[in-house]
Amino acid sequence: MNLKKEIAKYVPYNLQEGKEQEVMLKYFDTFDNLLTRENEFAHLTASAWIVNPERTKVLMAYHNIYQSWSWIGGHADGNEDLLQVALKETTEETGLVNIVPIMQDIYSVEILGVPSHIKKGSPIATHLHLNVTYLIEATENEETTVKKDENSAIKWMELNEAVEACTEPEMKLIYQKLNEKLTNDK
């Protein structure tokens, strides 16, 4: 697998994704350590847009750092297989084990600005997450568990409810895009 090639072959959904894909590829040409947090400017992350089989609901977590309802995801931490990262994060952050990628390909790409914050007692400087999102399916009847050091609640929400519940304006736009893609692909 060559992650740069995977991102390069991704067909952007809109102009914003096209621009972010272009910038991500420039980062690959500039840095050789995007897979680890050692790169304090930008590093790769993977997110999961977790949907029910009917594609009418998404699973959101109340994120402790951002104090907002959020998708599930995390850092690559050296793993170039970002789909596996998204699946691992889904299990770790929600407790779900019966999860299936709807497709193996990238569902969306985003560059996310991360403000400075404290994590596990250490200061983290403002930086970028070069994010790749995957579409994951799970059932609403499987029990979920909170990962207390990351989130304080997990909830299935209607597509529009998930956007409304988010308090981060830049993330609302991303969730709207993901939902739009979901409904357009039906």
Side-chain angles (χ1 to χ4, degrees), residues 57 60 155-166 179:
K57 292 185 178 177
M60 302 289 278
K155 181 180 176 185
W156 283 98
M157 298 181 180
E158 300 286 335
L159 300 181
N160 289 337
E161 180 188 2
V163 174
E164 291 302 315
C166 175
N179 285 343

Side-chain angles (χ1 to χ4, degrees), residues 47-51 58-60 70-72 102 107 133-137 159 162-163 174-176 178-179 182:
S47 294
W49 197 237
I50 305 165
V51 299
V58 295
L59 188 64
M60 302 289 278
S70 176
W71 57 10
I72 305 301
I102 293 172
Y107 188 60
T133 303
Y134 294 90
L135 191 58
I136 309 293
E137 183 179 281
L159 300 181
V163 174
I174 292 169
Y175 301 156
Q176 285 171 337
L178 297 174
N179 285 343
L182 194 61

Side-chain angles (χ1 to χ4, degrees), residues 51-57 107 159 179-186:
V51 299
N52 64 355
E54 298 78 24
R55 313 289 188 263
T56 57
K57 292 185 178 177
Y107 188 60
L159 300 181
N179 285 343
E180 195 176 285
K181 285 184 76 168
L182 194 61
T183 55
N184 287 343
D185 289 344
K186 281 185 180 177

